Amino acid sequence: MKASVKLPVLPEVSIRSVCRRLVCVASVYLAMAPANGNIVMRFGQTVRRIRLKQGLSQERYAELAEVHRNYVGLIERGERSPTLSNLVRLANGLGISLSELLRRAQL
């Protein structure tokens, strides 16, 4: 004889209330994010500023830097923290040294 498992009855929850809770959790998480989030954001903004000053599209810049074009957008929006090897690629793609790129980002 098979034992039947009785699942607990969950209260009905609206999508709106779930979304509100997720927004609250995300807000708390972002408020508690480490200061290096600022570093990543500042680096991405610097890359974007230099790229635009040079008249490069994200796609062309990605080709020059030998990275995927989506990766450039993620970096510029501060959604990815680049590895050391990608930092070098990103600087080379802009035609500047890594130390100069970091100096311009004030890192």
Side-chain angles (χ1 to χ4, degrees):
M1 178 177 231
K2 253 187 181 178
S4 64
V5 176
K6 193 166 191 173
L7 297 174
V9 176
L10 299 174
E12 287 189 35
V13 180
S14 71
I15 291 177
R16 175 174 271 161
S17 67
V18 170
C19 289
R20 280 189 196 134
R21 288 179 187 154
L22 287 175
V23 168
C24 288
V25 169
S27 297
V28 169
Y29 175 77
L30 289 175
M32 295 173 56
N36 70 352
N38 270 345
I39 293 170
V40 174
M41 185 64 79
R42 192 167 58 222
F43 177 79
Q45 291 169 347
T46 302
V47 167
R48 176 182 219 125
R49 188 176 62 249
I50 296 169
R51 175 182 64 78
L52 292 174
K53 192 178 271 188
Q54 293 182 3
L56 296 171
S57 67
Q58 283 186 345
E59 189 169 5
R60 179 63 183 138
Y61 173 49
E63 290 172 6
L64 293 171
E66 299 178 353
V67 296
H68 195 278
R69 61 186 168 84
N70 292 344
Y71 185 69
V72 172
L74 293 170
I75 291 296
E76 290 184 350
R77 291 188 302 274
E79 296 174 8
R80 287 286 185 273
S81 181
T83 62
L84 182 57
S85 59
N86 281 337
L87 284 170
V88 172
R89 287 178 178 182
L90 293 167
N92 289 342
L94 293 170
I96 60 176
S97 68
L98 176 56
S99 60
E100 176 62 16
L101 178 55
L102 295 176
R103 186 191 67 73
R104 289 189 191 183
Q106 299 177 347
L107 301 178

